[in-house]
Amino acid sequence: MMPVPFIDQFLFVGLPYLAIVTFVVGCVWRWSTNRFSYSSLSSQFLEHRQLYWGSVSWHIGILLVLAGHLVALIFPGLWSGLMSVKAVLLTVETVGAALGCVSLAGLVTLLYRRITSNRLQAVTTPLDILVVALLIGQVLLGVTTAILFPYGAYWAPGTVSPYLWGLLTLQPDATCVAFFPAVFKLHLVGAWLLVLLFPLTRLVHIVLLPWQYFFRPPQQVVWYAPRQGKQAHALSQQLETRRDFAKGVAGISVAGGLLSLGVFENLVRYFQGHRPDPKVETDLLEKKMVRLKQAAETRELELERQRNEIILVAKYAELQANKGKYLTDYSMAPALAFKGPDGWPLVISAKCTHLGCTVGSEMNGQGKILCPCHISYFDVKTGQPDAGAPAKAPLRHLEWVLIDAQGKEIARKSSGLPATNNPALLAQCSVYIVKPKETR
Amino acid sequence: MKLAELIQTSREYLSERLPLKHLDFQHMVEKKEVPVHRLSWGYYTGGLALFFFLVQVVTGLLLLFYYQPTVSDAHASVEYITDHVTGGALIRNLHAWTSSAMILAVLVHLLMTFAMKAFARPRELTWLSGVALLGITFAFGFTGYLLPWHQIAVNATKIGMQTIEALGDFLPGSMSEWPRLIRETIQGEASVGQATLSRFYALHVIVLPFSIAAMLGLHLLGIQLHGMSPGIDEEPRKQERFFPVFLIKDLSVWGVAFMVLFVLALCLPFEALYAYPLFAPFDPKSSTPEGIKPEWYFYFVYYPLEILPFWLVMLGQAVAGAVLLVTPWIFRGTSRKSLRLLAWGAAGYLLAMTLFGEQIYHLFKGGTL
């Protein structure tokens, strides 16, 4: 492994420890000597318009970005697990970069305000300007890193997090970060500089953790005077509404942003269309061909019924007494062919006379078949439905003709059947249905 | 002279029903107020139905990109949407769930409007357009149900169409043929087939959307011109500005409704409520699978049809339809209290038939369905 240059050793091991020591000692010393200087030194009553836009965007942006950094550093395993989902990674990256820009805009506003207002100049120290400049540089470097070296949310937990844990557990290891691009290294150095400056500047207000800001009604700092007190009251009412509005807008835009990020990618792909792999494509085409064939078969059946006077149902030998064979009759409705109890074929319509469902083909013990839609049993022999069944009319028996292998007609339903038949002869025959005579 | 009077009366009638002089920003936005009282939630039901309709338009348009309305391809294209198109299953599921939600919202809206006597003068035309919207919504449900071309769709449509023909038995002489002719005209052929699919598709995606847009325009115009109806007899506790107070609440309700639908559509396929064979592609040559039923929103006429004599149910339907049409006039003098009772009765009937229809059927018929 390449040795870590001295300058990196200093910047990523020496400087951090210097910063941390200064931070702890400085904070304790300041707290014990000058407790009430733990403040952000509000200048709201000197200027509040630009402050509103600058401070709100800066704080919202930086708090969320910092929260993201913290979670990734403290729980690197959990974080990289989350980031392995591409949609989440993209969302976090985009939201992070956007928030970075928001906080940058806020900072620039704040700096502009500091250096353009006479009143503010009076209360501004060089350290204040230094802190703002450092922060601007730091955010710029962060956003640049996010843009130049994307997916930082994915690679950082494996590199930056071990480095930090190493520092905290007194096993510093600069190799984790020494070979990063300069932009990112500068970002790290900037972070340590800020930690170093922390106890000396107004940054100390962070340790006060002003949670109550989230819950307490808004406060407005004003000059004390009766007339202005009244105005301030009206103003605070107005601010309350504005605060609600801002909260609503923030909620809607965050939720909407997340939702649209999640939906947008899928929506684009919805319109792009699917590009299945060849195997899936083949399966799909095959399925389509099967359906097309089915449709074509139906058309052929119709044609056949237009043209032919008789249509083959089955060989007589194939008919069963208990299970009907489905066929399509001349009106394209389903019908069933059985071997009747007397040995002759029995062809009966299977279109339920109630509401037109297809009757089942299995005959039960009482010689009946069932329409499953509304439970009508039909006697196969007579076609009659059970009393009380939803169907009232009987199923029609269809005309059939038996033709032997030589094409000679053996028997026809309508021409009266002999009581006995010759099974050997019948076994060679085929059953046909006959075109009904025009009724209309 | 007589004619002049007639013209004068109808002009007065119309100008009271459609006060177009209120067609300005001030009346429709600035001054519009919504009463606050214990039935105020009724004011959300119409907006909710509108929102569901908008969801249907969007998801329907998306489905239109992939759906193919032919007997051989319809089912395959629906399967393709579900299995292969990115987000296709979600879109389709959302369309299916929202259709039910829309019908539910429309029914509740109807009952609430009735109970609050919102049909009373001068809002008769708004009510009538609402009844037309109800019919169109049911037509949407009936035509859309056929499009996936699976077993339950085609068979349920067949049964529905056959119901029309069954009317023929009650008509005298050559008129008994008319229902059959009507049925075949709607179907486009002797049995439910490609012609039926083509025209149901045309109805579902072109004819009905245009009709509903026109009716909806009239309906919303009526509401905006007249403002909200008071809804209760006593003075309301207070009034709320429509813009922006009520509108924001309305939008929040929409947001919650969308959230619920989205989660439902994501987690629970609509088809999970039925046995699979019902969703196999329709096969004209096999037997009909068990459990063919219309959608739940037709149970209120389906179960009575199973239990009671056909003519009685049809007569009941005809009477109910006629009553809906002339409600603004026959209930003109009825008190809101009685109207609320009637609405409760109707709601009870709808709930009983929809939730417990099957049990009621067993009660009357015995045996298993």
Side-chain angles (χ1 to χ4, degrees), chain B residues 235-247:
Chain B
E235 271 295 302
R237 271 187 283 129
K238 60 169 187 175
Q239 300 272 341
E240 214 170 45
R241 296 268 297 277
F242 174 77
F243 184 87
V245 180
F246 185 80
L247 189 68

Side-chain angles (χ1 to χ4, degrees), chain B residues 61-127:
Chain B
L61 272 176
L62 287 174
L63 290 176
L64 210 50
F65 276 74
Y66 287 101
Y67 176 74
Q68 298 169 340
T70 63
V71 168
S72 51
D73 289 341
H75 189 272
S77 69
V78 171
E79 274 181 344
Y80 183 79
I81 293 173
T82 318
D83 297 340
H84 296 290
V85 177
T86 310
L90 177 67
I91 299 283
R92 180 168 171 242
N93 231 340
L94 208 54
H95 198 70
W97 278 111
T98 313
S99 72
S100 280
M102 178 173 163
I103 296 214
L104 186 68
V106 165
L107 287 176
V108 177
H109 179 53
L110 173 82
L111 289 172
M112 278 314 284
T113 320
F114 184 82
M116 290 161 85
K117 205 174 178 178
F119 53 75
R121 183 175 174 183
R123 298 186 171 84
E124 294 100 326
L125 292 184
T126 316
W127 172 269

Side-chain angles (χ1 to χ4, degrees), chain B residues 329-344:
Chain B
W329 295 278
I330 52 175
F331 292 111
R332 199 169 5 189
T334 319
S335 73
R336 287 205 164 85
K337 203 174 166 196
S338 322
L339 287 176
R340 281 201 288 274
L341 267 178
L342 282 174
W344 269 118

